[in-house]
Amino acid sequence: MSSSNVPSPKFTLSKKVVLEQYNKVREVVDIPAFSSKTNPRVTPIIEENTDGFLSVHTTNELKHIKDMSRVLFLAQGWTSEIVEDLYNKGIRCFAVDNEFDLDILLSTMEPTDWKITLLIRLKLKEHSLRTERYFVFGMTSDVINERVAQLKGDPHIEQLGVHFHRKTQNVNEWKIQQDIEDVLSEETLEAIDILNIGGGLPSEYANTNVDVIGSIFRRLKELREWLHEKDIQLMIEPGRFISAPAGKLIAYITGVYGNNIIVNASVYNSDMDAILVPVKLRVEGEVGNNAGEPYVIKGCTPCSMDLFRYRVYLREEPKIGDEIVFINAGAYNFTSNFCDLEEIPTEMID
């Protein structure tokens, strides 16, 4: 086969795996909410087959959802007109990042008889050197404690909660109870109904140690038990954990030279995670370094960052036309317009 007639790349997405992953989360939390930005094609599967919430960040994402009462809308830089539009669409659950947006929401509701669930975002510091990325979002604990005291008893708020997000692909910072006790007052913990701990449940990549997943789920159970003692429900917004294992990227080899493999897909139209996080997708059939030859897998553009894998060991000698299947590829597989690359289609397989 020549490089001119290899099949086009595609994603596959398994509904069965999506629901298996969702049910794992459902067993240890009270309110699961799938983060739609992770993979919007998973959103209808969650809505049609579970009782979970759908977490969205923009009005554009709402086109994937039929029942707006299932939406948790995370506000950022909105206006009274946007708030009214969202409420009129049927959305009743909001998470607010800052006091500016919170005051817009409160002033918009003030002359109405609205009833909503409101989560206000806490700025919760990481226990690592890289704290700056997420520590600029949310409100300080002093503000949270003050505003919760003000909001408790507000006739427009049926349920009041605190929300935070520590980081994506979080493998080591799940001692949440102590962190919360350190920053939220006893009065705040008595006043709130929901603690939303955001996303971060890790998935399995070539450069990630996910042997800790069992201990993470044990800590979630412990956290829920502690929250239940305070009559607080545990909410979580997993996206990567649910959608990543359900997806595969099937690409084809268009060139081989030395230890380099070129495939007919790019990280820019299939795996932006490789640049942003970065995580590296595993390759189906890859072997240990004692059982195969090392190869670099490059995308179809000449960009020096268009690398799927710096080193992957394969048992068989690769040839033009061979499939390269990247597994755990269902999360954050959004595309860009870099080099006018086309969006890769997704095929539902069950």
Side-chain angles (χ1 to χ4, degrees):
M1 182 180 290
S2 71
S3 60
S4 61
N5 59 359
V6 299
S8 298
K10 66 179 180 181
F11 285 102
T12 61
L13 184 66
S14 168
K15 171 183 170 182
K16 178 182 176 183
V17 176
V18 165
L19 297 179
E20 287 175 350
Q21 293 296 105
Y22 173 87
N23 288 329
K24 291 177 185 175
V25 177
R26 188 69 183 89
E27 290 180 1
V28 297
V29 304
D30 301 306
I31 311 173
F34 174 71
S35 182
S36 185
K37 71 180 189 300
T38 318
N39 187 333
R41 289 175 178 79
V42 173
T43 302
I45 298 175
I46 298 296
E47 182 179 13
E48 294 167 11
N49 297 278
T50 80
D51 61 353
F53 269 66
L54 294 315
S55 165
V56 302
H57 297 68
T58 71
T59 53
N60 287 351
E61 292 179 89
L62 297 175
K63 63 178 176 289
H64 304 291
I65 302 169
K66 296 176 182 176
D67 182 0
M68 297 300 161
S69 70
R70 303 267 298 274
V71 169
L72 164 64
F73 194 91
L74 292 96
Q76 185 70 287
W78 61 7
T79 64
S80 288
E81 290 75 20
I82 294 174
V83 175
E84 289 174 352
D85 180 59
L86 294 173
Y87 190 87
N88 290 335
K89 281 182 165 63
I91 298 172
R92 298 292 183 269
C93 187
F94 302 94
V96 179
D97 173 79
N98 54 72
E99 287 192 281
F100 174 81
D101 287 331
L102 176 58
D103 289 337
I104 286 177
L105 173 63
L106 296 177
S107 63
T108 305
M109 288 197 302
E110 199 278 330
T112 74
D113 59 355
W114 293 4
K115 303 289 184 184
I116 68 166
T117 293
L118 174 62
L119 309 177
I120 55 177
R121 184 169 182 174
L122 168 68
K123 186 184 294 186
L124 190 65
K125 197 169 186 177
E126 294 176 54
H127 300 292
S128 70
L129 294 177
R130 299 180 61 184
T131 59
E132 72 281 359
R133 183 170 180 177
Y134 299 104
F135 198 55
V136 296
F137 291 94
M139 294 168 253
T140 65
S141 57
D142 289 343
V143 171
I144 293 288
N145 290 324
E146 179 184 349
R147 299 305 293 255
V148 165
Q150 294 171 356
L151 294 168
K152 185 64 178 177
D154 187 307
H156 299 98
I157 301 173
E158 290 186 320
Q159 287 190 302
L160 180 61
V162 171
H163 165 270
F164 66 86
H165 175 68
R166 179 151 262 170
K167 57 186 171 184
T168 191
Q169 194 66 6
N170 180 9
V171 295
N172 56 10
E173 297 201 45
W174 292 94
K175 295 180 180 178
I176 295 171
Q177 178 182 335
Q178 186 62 58
D179 292 336
I180 292 298
E181 287 182 305
D182 288 343
V183 298
L184 296 185
S185 68
E186 291 185 10
E187 291 78 12
T188 294
L189 290 173
E190 290 176 2
I192 63 174
D193 307 290
I194 299 169
L195 180 71
N196 180 347
I197 63 174
L201 281 178
S203 196
E204 186 173 354
Y205 298 102
N207 56 337
T208 303
N209 175 14
V210 292
D211 292 339
V212 296
I213 192 67
S215 66
I216 292 173
F217 273 70
R218 283 195 296 276
R219 291 194 182 282
L220 288 177
K221 291 178 181 177
E222 293 168 0
L223 177 64
R224 183 172 64 170
E225 291 174 2
W226 176 70
L227 292 173
H228 283 183
E229 292 173 0
K230 301 179 180 301
D231 202 20
I232 299 171
Q233 291 188 299
L234 174 60
M235 188 174 193
I236 191 170
E237 299 171 61
R240 184 186 298 279
F241 181 81
I242 290 175
S243 60
K248 293 183 179 180
L249 169 60
I250 302 174
Y252 295 87
I253 297 176
T254 58
V256 181
Y257 63 94
N259 69 332
N260 294 274
I261 295 171
I262 313 298
V263 297
N264 60 349
S266 165
V267 295
Y268 292 103
N269 69 345
S270 64
D271 184 29
M272 292 287 285
D273 241 11
I275 298 174
L276 298 175
V277 175
V279 291
K280 300 297 182 185
L281 297 176
R282 293 170 56 208
V283 174
E284 198 167 79
E286 69 174 289
V287 297
N289 56 8
N290 294 323
E293 294 297 320
Y295 293 92
V296 179
I297 302 181
K298 299 178 178 177
C300 59
T301 79
C303 173
S304 59
M305 291 192 292
D306 199 357
L307 285 174
F308 283 95
R309 291 288 296 275
Y310 290 100
R311 177 155 295 192
V312 60
Y313 291 86
L314 301 176
R315 196 186 305 276
E316 304 294 333
E317 182 179 353
K319 303 184 297 296
I320 291 175
D322 287 353
E323 275 188 358
I324 293 289
V325 180
F326 298 97
I327 59 177
N328 242 38
Y332 297 104
N333 52 0
F334 53 90
T335 187
S336 75
N337 63 357
F338 183 68
C339 292
D340 283 336
L341 292 165
E342 295 181 350
E343 183 176 355
I344 296 175
T346 298
E347 176 185 326
M348 305 295 291
I349 58 173
D350 57 34

